[in-house]
Amino acid sequence: MPTTDSEKPMVSMTFWDHLDVLRSSLIRMACVVMVFAVMAFMLKEELFAIVLAPRSSDFVTYRLMNVETFSLHLMNTGLTEQFMIHMRTAVYAGLLIASPYILYELFRFVSPGLYQNERHCAVRIVGAAYMMFLMGTLANYFIVFPLTVHFLGTYQVSPDVSNMLTLQSYIDTLLGMSLVMGVVFELPVVCALMAKLGLLTDKWMGLYRRHAIVAILIVAAIITPTTDVFTLFVVAMPIYLLYEISIIIVRYMGRSENLKRNLQ
């Protein structure tokens, strides 16, 4: 008997059949990531021209801010360190480039078990989450990380003491903060989903705004790779702005739900 749009499709596959499908999907995802990672590895000069750009005043963010000329000298302290960093950065680039395909494979695996309306909802949620993660990564690359690098890289207690930064420290900070900011930017999506489920309202978020600020400072202190106040402020500000944006989104969704109830 054919199913309607609101009915869940009949699935006759066994557990082991599902496991085989999942294994095939994981193999395809790994192959695609590997292909892009190898391409990124081979394009070493282009890859590290992007990765190392924030260490110099020629970077676009510094030019817009009219920052005085500076350039940080990075040093290597290990025999295999540069090669391992090259591989790790290439894998991260491969994951980032292949992420749309990874999401497609995951959705194709779970979609047969969803209702038609659940599929549409899942597409919107996953699409919004993916876009917010990319926005978080870009915000870190163009705003948070450059400001952190400029402040900490040029800070001196005395002109007689020069800064010697390691490549390992630079890459670890960039990749770590990119991942963290990508996750943090999921806050509006999470709040919107909770509002859709009736678990969150804009009035509640506004009432506990002061508590949220304290929580944001604590979270920023935990995820900040350094212990200085400047970096803490740079990381906390985007999170607070996301909280305010989330209030607006939750308020809009609350009004939409009320309108639907009145029309019914």
Side-chain angles (χ1 to χ4, degrees):
M1 181 177 179
T3 60
T4 63
D5 289 344
S6 60
E7 291 179 341
K8 188 175 293 187
M10 298 297 294
V11 180
S12 58
M13 297 174 62
T14 65
F15 171 79
W16 298 109
D17 292 332
H18 284 292
L19 199 60
D20 287 337
V21 173
L22 177 60
R23 183 180 60 182
S24 300
S25 298
L26 293 176
I27 292 175
R28 286 194 296 270
M29 287 186 285
C31 291
V32 172
V33 171
M34 186 177 298
V35 169
F36 283 116
V38 170
M39 292 175 60
F41 187 87
M42 295 176 63
L43 298 173
K44 180 178 66 173
E45 294 184 3
E46 291 78 4
L47 175 63
F48 281 91
I50 297 173
V51 171
L52 300 178
R55 71 181 181 88
S56 172
S57 57
D58 293 333
F59 190 57
V60 58
T61 303
Y62 302 134
R63 293 203 303 267
L64 294 175
M65 298 173 59
N66 293 321
V67 174
E68 60 183 14
T69 302
F70 79 97
S71 181
L72 301 180
H73 176 70
L74 301 178
M75 60 181 296
N76 176 55
T77 59
L79 180 63
T80 62
E81 187 173 289
Q82 291 202 53
F83 179 73
M84 297 305 297
I85 288 175
H86 185 189
M87 289 187 60
R88 186 154 55 92
T89 306
V91 170
Y92 185 89
L95 281 170
L96 190 62
I97 298 173
S99 55
Y101 179 78
I102 293 175
L103 291 176
Y104 166 75
E105 282 289 346
L106 292 175
F107 180 76
R108 193 172 71 166
F109 175 74
V110 301
S111 61
L114 300 176
Y115 293 106
Q116 188 69 22
N117 59 337
E118 290 175 340
R119 293 178 188 174
H120 293 313
C121 184
V123 169
R124 291 195 296 268
I125 293 175
V126 172
Y130 177 70
M131 293 303 298
M132 292 304 298
F133 184 88
L134 289 183
M135 288 179 61
T137 303
L138 292 175
N140 175 69
Y141 179 75
F142 286 105
I143 301 175
V144 178
F145 183 71
L147 294 178
T148 302
V149 167
H150 176 260
F151 176 77
L152 297 179
T154 60
Y155 186 84
Q156 292 178 289
V157 296
S158 171
D160 298 328
V161 181
S162 60
N163 292 324
M164 299 291 289
L165 304 179
T166 64
L167 178 63
Q168 179 77 39
S169 173
Y170 179 93
I171 297 297
D172 286 346
T173 304
L174 174 60
L175 298 183
M177 292 184 67
S178 296
L179 178 61
V180 168
M181 291 302 296
V183 173
V184 166
F185 265 62
E186 301 296 335
L187 180 62
V189 179
V190 174
C191 291
L193 184 60
M194 293 179 65
K196 183 72 175 179
L197 298 174
L199 302 176
L200 191 64
T201 63
D202 61 302
K203 293 182 179 179
W204 186 89
M205 295 181 68
L207 181 63
Y208 289 95
R209 180 181 277 106
R210 295 181 180 178
H211 301 77
I213 293 175
V214 175
I216 288 171
L217 291 174
I218 295 174
V219 171
I222 294 174
I223 66 178
T224 299
T226 58
T227 58
D228 63 288
V229 178
F230 178 81
T231 305
L232 175 66
F233 176 78
V234 170
V235 174
M237 278 304 299
I239 303 178
Y240 174 72
L241 292 176
L242 287 172
Y243 184 82
E244 294 295 335
I245 294 174
S246 299
I247 293 178
I248 298 175
I249 294 175
V250 170
R251 181 182 300 121
Y252 171 78
M253 295 194 66
R255 291 176 179 175
S256 299
E257 291 298 324
N258 291 333
L259 181 60
K260 290 180 180 178
R261 296 192 191 98
N262 294 333
L263 291 176
Q264 290 176 356

